[in-house]
Amino acid sequence: TEIKRVQSLQNDGVTFSDIGGNEDAKRSLQDIAKYLGTPEKYKSLGIRLPKGILLYGPPGTGKTLLAKAFANECRVHFLYASGADFVEIYVGVGPKKIREMFKQARSLGKCVIFIDEIDSLGYKRGSGTNIEFDNTLNQLLTEMDGFNGSEGFTVIGATNQPERIDPALLRPGRFDRKIEIEVPDLDTRKDILKIHLRKKRFFDEEVIAEIAENTEGLNGSELENIANEAAFDALNNNSEVKLADFEILGCHFVQNQWRCFIKLF
Ligand code: ATP
């Protein structure tokens, strides 16, 4: 019953400056980090810490990165789990895994517990077909009810499908801070490309702007990939990354969204 995919990372090194765009999300998380740093100030004004934070939005837009940056800002451990890891056929195994994860968290001291694909928990609740999902979700809620956020535990859930989230998770006192993460707009795409290209010593603003303009619809993870492939190509040619390393083949409307096809020379 070991939870294989719960990872504990202390210094993954991701900070908010490694994340393009998402200014509102960063601000919201930084506010909570401030609370955790100086709880007395907030408590004296009767301000309560959100017990759980929900990041929702399309895949590859930086939800995991934001959670890691938050953990680093708070200088606490980062525990990673996927909701799907808890979905079990055998009665009692899902809840047991949840209990073990919180036990691990308590043994680490202060930490961020990140649960990706949190919509997998309780998905079919009420339909009567999968009671085990309910027990797993209930165990998560019990564990969350059992701690006070100012002890230094923060649960962050992430989902690409917020409409599938069990309403029980969204009640006040549970995931009561909800942060939307969107597909990057033009400025965000520039930001993301800059972040990934600066490490590769490429700073040409004009080229970055051109790539950003031609990549509408791409997410952060795809932009990172473009930057990486271009750098690979440049290194093979023993040169710096340059415009010739990006060839934008054009954009096509596919499955209701724009996709850009980029080929490297
Ligand atoms: P999923 O829903 O699929 O788990 P996610 O929203 O959690 O996706 P991340 O895992 O945070 O996405 O992002 C994947 C990778 O894409 C990151 O490691 C990073 O390289 C890049 N990336 C995504 N969004 C951004 C961003 N806003 N700024 C910089 N890099 C980004």
Side-chain angles (χ1 to χ4, degrees):
T1 57
E2 192 198 347
I3 316 169
K4 288 201 191 69
R5 273 196 277 165
V6 172
Q7 296 169 18
S8 165
L9 309 166
Q10 191 165 27
N11 273 316
D12 201 30
V14 180
T15 68
F16 286 113
S17 65
D18 296 317
I19 304 169
N22 293 302
E23 297 308 328
D24 290 346
K26 288 185 211 168
R27 212 167 297 123
S28 186
L29 291 170
Q30 272 162 333
D31 281 349
I32 298 172
K34 267 190 224 149
Y35 189 126
L36 289 167
T38 50
E40 310 77 28
K41 189 173 130 194
Y42 291 79
K43 279 185 193 160
S44 69
L45 293 171
I47 303 174
R48 180 175 66 73
L49 194 64
K51 193 157 259 183
I53 303 165
L54 180 72
L55 303 177
Y56 64 98
T61 46
K63 298 184 289 298
T64 311
L65 277 188
L66 281 161
K68 284 183 180 170
F70 173 76
N72 256 338
E73 179 105 351
C74 300
R75 295 194 184 79
V76 299
H77 290 271
F78 180 81
L79 273 184
Y80 173 92
S82 167
D85 298 343
F86 300 104
V87 178
E88 292 286 343
I89 316 164
Y90 298 106
V91 177
V93 178
K96 185 162 185 238
K97 284 185 170 179
I98 297 269
R99 278 197 300 276
E100 280 172 4
M101 181 177 66
F102 277 84
K103 201 170 141 200
Q104 191 181 346
R106 279 188 291 269
S107 74
L108 286 173
K110 297 182 174 189
C111 71
V112 166
I113 301 171
F114 180 72
I115 309 176
D116 206 0
E117 294 177 51
I118 194 152
D119 51 276
S120 329
L121 298 179
Y123 172 45
K124 289 185 176 163
R125 194 180 163 92
S127 68
T129 50
N130 215 324
I131 290 162
E132 180 61 4
F133 286 22
D134 274 4
N135 291 340
T136 306
L137 177 74
N138 285 337
Q139 189 61 42
L140 174 67
L141 298 175
T142 306
E143 296 283 353
M144 287 178 72
D145 288 342
F147 71 79
N148 174 345
S150 53
E151 288 163 22
F153 293 105
T154 313
V155 183
I156 303 184
T159 179
N160 306 325
Q161 294 172 288
E163 67 286 350
R164 286 183 18 151
I165 294 236
D166 193 301
L169 278 169
L170 303 177
R171 275 183 214 131
R174 281 146 184 195
F175 286 85
D176 38 18
R177 176 69 60 94
K178 299 168 195 66
I179 304 176
E180 183 173 12
I181 315 295
E182 292 174 323
V183 173
D185 61 10
L186 178 63
D187 282 337
T188 305
R189 290 199 299 281
K190 275 188 211 161
D191 256 16
I192 295 176
L193 286 164
K194 269 188 214 165
I195 286 168
H196 292 289
L197 285 166
R198 83 180 165 211
K199 288 184 194 143
K200 300 174 175 69
R201 298 194 298 276
F202 180 77
F203 304 99
D204 190 323
E205 298 265 341
E206 258 176 58
V207 173
I208 290 175
E210 191 175 335
I211 301 166
E213 267 156 33
N214 286 284
T215 44
E216 188 171 351
L218 296 203
N219 65 28
S221 156
E222 290 162 325
L223 294 168
E224 187 277 335
N225 189 244
I226 289 173
N228 197 54
E229 291 290 288
F232 240 108
D233 196 51
L235 192 67
N236 283 340
N237 295 326
N238 216 0
S239 70
E240 277 197 336
V241 181
K242 54 191 180 312
L243 183 58
D245 295 313
F246 304 93
E247 184 194 9
I248 296 159
L249 294 178
C251 295
H252 304 263
F253 202 59
V254 184
Q255 289 173 346
N256 288 328
Q257 58 178 324
W258 285 99
R259 298 316 255 181
C260 294
F261 294 94
I262 298 190
K263 185 180 142 257
L264 302 172
F265 285 109

